[in-house]
Amino acid sequence: MILMKVFWILFSINASYGFSTPESPSYIAGVVEYQVDQGLTTDDSLWTSTQMFQYNAGKYIDILYSAEAINVDILVFPENTLNRQDTAVVIPMENEFHIDLCTNDNYNVNLRNIACAAKSLRKYVVINLTTKWNCTERVGESNSKRCTSEWELYNTNVVMNRDGVIISIYRKYNLFGEPGITQPDSIEYKTFDTDFGVKFGHFVCFDLMFKSPAMDFVRNGVKNIVFPTRWYSELPFITAIQVQQNWAHVNDVNFLAAGANLPILGTTGSGIYSGKLGALTSIMTGDNTTKLLVHEVSKVPGDPILNASQIFLGSHFDDLTLYQDEFDGYTYMLVNTNAAVNQSFDLCSSFKEERFCCNFNIATTEKKASNGTIPYTYMAVVFNGWRHFNYFTYEGVKVCAVVACENENVLSCGKRFSTTTEHSGINFNLILIEGTFSHSSIFTMPTSLDFNISSLPTSKFEFRETGYNFSMSLQGEHSQLLAFGIYARDFRYSSKENPNSAITLLVSGSFILLSIISALVT
């Protein structure tokens, strides 16, 4: 580490950094997949939260000083991997952004050290951490708020510029449970400008599934998004890099996603995406790991760049906890993979007197299987209704898709065979799914997933929108599909209470204890 810092000093004296400028057609971005609690124990002794905070800050700084990060203009760290609630820190308020954090002893030493590294290395740095705000002081500014305690804790993005000065903060609004964390009084819309001519918007993890603040940036023309996350992946429609690529694709934005890595709890997935070009670099893995992903990003999302994409295929997926959607609320039809002709049919689902239908055109050829291999069964499925997210909120969802299943029971869909199971694939020669999503408050995305828990490259599908009519078609053939179709959030429907308490809801039963388990490790 000392040698690396010496190298940086010599490098800054004898060479120009080559950072991007307003005239540059691109910039260099870095996102970190960071292993949670990687230094939790040493010499069989449990570390305190204070020691963990110091350790993580040191690892962050090591990454900033690494050779891979030399030319990076902006580097993003994940959600909830730096500190814990009992080491929450005070940060400068917006009227104090001029403060030189690096030299100001009034702030936490770990925060100051990261600011010093940003200043020394001349980088934009985005971190996410738990901050504390004095509620009693804020009440003096507004009588609309009552305090339950002196201090309130927030899940907070902090953005530092090349001088190590904070230029933007955002407090997460759409909390994924997160007991002990306060929801802000209102949704914050936060952007920051850079010296290389790019404006960024930023939000956190579960915010992605809601209209605000995420879609506000798209509506206001912000084309570059920073996204710290600790995403809990669920098969087959909302795994981490699957959602990241889909959101960037349909909104045609550059998307810098830094993910926490804790596979045993289902969290992994980071990447850099450029609009309809798709993933420039990404990782999804069952390994406990920390990895810096770096790539050149065109300032115009989707424009080609010289550097080839770098997709890091994961391993040990049997060690990755993948939660499953439950399909008992779906309309479904078994796909006849032995059919010699194209299959064409409609499937419909009704909700609140609204009949939602999709048309499917499918053609397959069965791959020649060796003895003892097990083939996936495939179902065409449609859903329209309330979707439950870990009992924290109920949201409107619409789905039209072809999904892999373990057998002919629809409840076996959204699951995968273990990597030790020999299974044969089905060649899909044609998948065309069409549907009408008839309201402006419905946000519609392509969705696809292969056996590597990754989205198909954007060259392998075509997603088209004509008014409220959408289609998703496979380009070429594919034999390793877990899911392929259209996924939509219906923002008209949202409730903190169970809206259908008398009937069966579409829930992920495996999420029930997730918030309790997560709280134990954060």
Side-chain angles (χ1 to χ4, degrees):
M1 182 63 200
I2 294 175
L3 289 175
M4 195 65 225
K5 289 185 177 180
V6 170
F7 170 78
W8 267 101
I9 293 171
L10 294 174
F11 185 77
S12 63
I13 293 173
N14 296 301
S16 62
Y17 282 104
F19 291 140
S20 302
T21 68
E23 293 73 36
S24 304
S26 61
Y27 60 91
I28 307 298
V31 299
V32 180
E33 171 102 357
Y34 188 83
Q35 182 182 342
V36 177
D37 291 344
Q38 57 187 281
L40 186 59
T41 59
T42 179
D43 299 327
D44 298 322
S45 298
L46 188 66
W47 285 16
T48 66
S49 294
T50 299
Q51 289 173 311
M52 282 301 305
F53 191 6
Q54 182 179 7
Y55 176 88
N56 288 327
K59 296 297 288 186
Y60 277 30
I61 293 168
D62 288 348
I63 292 169
L64 285 165
Y65 273 96
S66 66
E68 295 84 356
I70 285 178
N71 290 320
V72 168
D73 292 294
I74 179 168
L75 200 150
V76 185
F77 290 93
E79 176 190 21
N80 198 19
T81 57
L82 183 55
N83 69 333
R84 297 180 174 182
Q85 293 185 17
D86 57 355
T87 52
V89 300
V90 174
I91 58 174
M93 298 295 98
E94 291 192 2
N95 61 350
E96 302 171 318
F97 280 178
H98 61 279
I99 290 174
D100 185 353
L101 200 58
C102 175
T103 59
N104 194 308
D105 292 338
N106 292 324
Y107 296 95
N108 178 273
V109 62
N110 299 309
L111 189 63
R112 298 201 319 265
N113 288 342
I114 294 172
C116 289
K119 182 178 182 178
S120 174
L121 300 172
R122 306 294 297 161
K123 297 186 184 303
Y124 288 86
V125 176
V126 182
I127 60 175
N128 173 279
L129 73 171
T130 304
T131 62
K132 61 181 181 180
W133 301 49
N134 192 307
C135 179
T136 54
E137 291 181 359
R138 292 177 61 218
V139 166
E141 302 170 3
S142 172
N143 294 325
S144 63
K145 184 174 182 63
R146 294 186 179 182
C147 297
T148 57
S149 61
E150 180 182 3
W151 293 97
E152 292 178 331
L153 306 184
Y154 292 91
N155 180 330
T156 310
N157 285 349
V158 174
V159 183
M160 302 174 187
N161 67 8
R162 297 196 201 271
D163 295 318
V165 173
I166 294 177
I167 57 173
S168 184
I169 56 176
Y170 166 74
R171 296 176 300 170
K172 183 179 179 182
Y173 185 81
N174 297 292
L175 303 178
F176 193 67
E178 304 179 51
I181 299 297
T182 303
Q183 184 181 58
D185 296 337
S186 60
I187 299 173
E188 300 171 348
Y189 173 83
K190 295 300 180 71
T191 63
F192 60 95
D193 293 305
T194 61
D195 62 5
F196 50 93
V198 173
K199 178 189 289 290
F200 288 88
H202 58 120
F203 51 88
V204 184
C205 200
F206 200 39
D207 285 327
L208 186 76
M209 299 300 288
F210 295 85
K211 187 174 184 178
S212 292
M215 297 304 298
D216 295 335
F217 295 106
V218 178
R219 187 181 67 247
N220 290 318
V222 177
K223 304 298 285 184
N224 293 265
I225 302 295
V226 166
F227 182 65
T229 183
R230 186 171 176 162
W231 194 270
Y232 295 93
S233 287
E234 180 186 282
L235 292 171
F237 303 123
I238 51 174
T239 61
I241 62 175
Q242 177 185 23
V243 171
Q244 293 164 15
Q245 175 174 292
N246 295 340
W247 200 92
H249 179 278
V250 76
N251 289 312
D252 199 22
V253 298
N254 292 326
F255 196 77
L256 316 184
N261 177 274
L262 189 60
I264 195 171
L265 284 186
T267 180
T268 175
S270 304
I272 300 172
Y273 310 86
S274 183
K276 302 194 185 310
L277 195 62
L280 301 177
T281 181
S282 64
I283 185 171
M284 182 87 176
T285 183
D287 294 317
N288 295 306
T289 189
T290 292
K291 187 172 185 61
L292 170 62
L293 306 178
V294 175
H295 212 282
E296 179 185 6
V297 182
S298 171
K299 291 180 181 178
V300 179
D303 271 11
I305 50 178
L306 294 178
N307 295 327
S309 298
Q310 294 178 307
I311 308 303
F312 297 95
L313 297 179
S315 58
H316 299 102
F317 284 123
D318 290 349
D319 297 326
L320 170 61
T321 299
L322 289 166
Y323 308 98
Q324 283 89 35
D325 200 346
E326 291 186 357
F327 282 83
D328 52 352
Y330 280 73
T331 303
Y332 60 92
M333 179 178 289
L334 181 68
V335 175
N336 184 357
T337 55
N338 295 315
V341 296
N342 292 5
Q343 302 166 71
S344 179
F345 52 86
D346 292 333
L347 283 180
C348 301
S349 176
S350 296
F351 174 62
K352 289 185 176 292
E353 300 181 354
E354 177 187 4
R355 187 167 173 80
F356 170 64
C357 298
C358 287
N359 178 260
F360 293 80
N361 282 276
I362 302 170
T364 66
T365 53
E366 191 168 8
K367 290 180 69 175
K368 195 170 187 179
S370 58
N371 291 334
T373 60
I374 303 174
Y376 277 108
T377 298
Y378 286 89
M379 299 270 192
V381 297
V382 170
F383 179 77
N384 179 29
W386 290 106
R387 170 69 166 82
H388 188 285
F389 292 104
N390 197 25
Y391 289 107
F392 301 137
T393 182
Y394 300 77
E395 305 298 329
V397 167
K398 296 178 185 289
V399 177
C400 301
V402 173
V403 296
C405 312
E406 292 181 333
N407 52 57
E408 293 186 3
N409 187 332
V410 72
L411 298 184
S412 74
C413 299
K415 299 180 181 180
R416 58 178 291 274
F417 293 129
S418 71
T419 52
T420 59
T421 302
E422 288 191 51
H423 54 273
S424 56
I426 301 295
N427 271 329
F428 283 89
N429 305 314
L430 166 70
I431 303 178
L432 172 61
I433 303 172
E434 298 172 301
T436 299
F437 296 74
S438 55
H439 199 279
S440 59
S441 291
I442 300 174
F443 172 62
T444 307
M445 298 186 294
T447 188
S448 63
L449 195 69
D450 65 16
F451 290 177
N452 289 313
I453 323 297
S454 294
S455 288
L456 271 61
T458 56
S459 61
K460 298 297 184 181
F461 66 84
E462 183 179 40
F463 183 70
R464 303 185 70 176
E465 173 183 357
T466 306
Y468 292 141
N469 299 313
F470 291 82
S471 67
M472 177 70 165
S473 59
L474 185 66
Q475 303 295 294
E477 66 176 33
H478 206 287
S479 62
Q480 295 190 342
L481 287 179
L482 289 179
F484 188 88
I486 303 171
Y487 182 91
R489 278 280 289 110
D490 192 337
F491 296 132
R492 293 174 295 174
Y493 304 114
S494 181
S495 174
K496 294 298 183 184
E497 304 298 328
N498 187 338
N500 281 336
S501 58
I503 66 172
T504 302
L505 289 170
L506 178 66
V507 299
S508 264
S510 52
F511 266 173
I512 292 174
L513 297 179
L514 181 57
S515 61
I516 299 173
I517 297 172
S518 181
L520 293 176
V521 297
T522 57

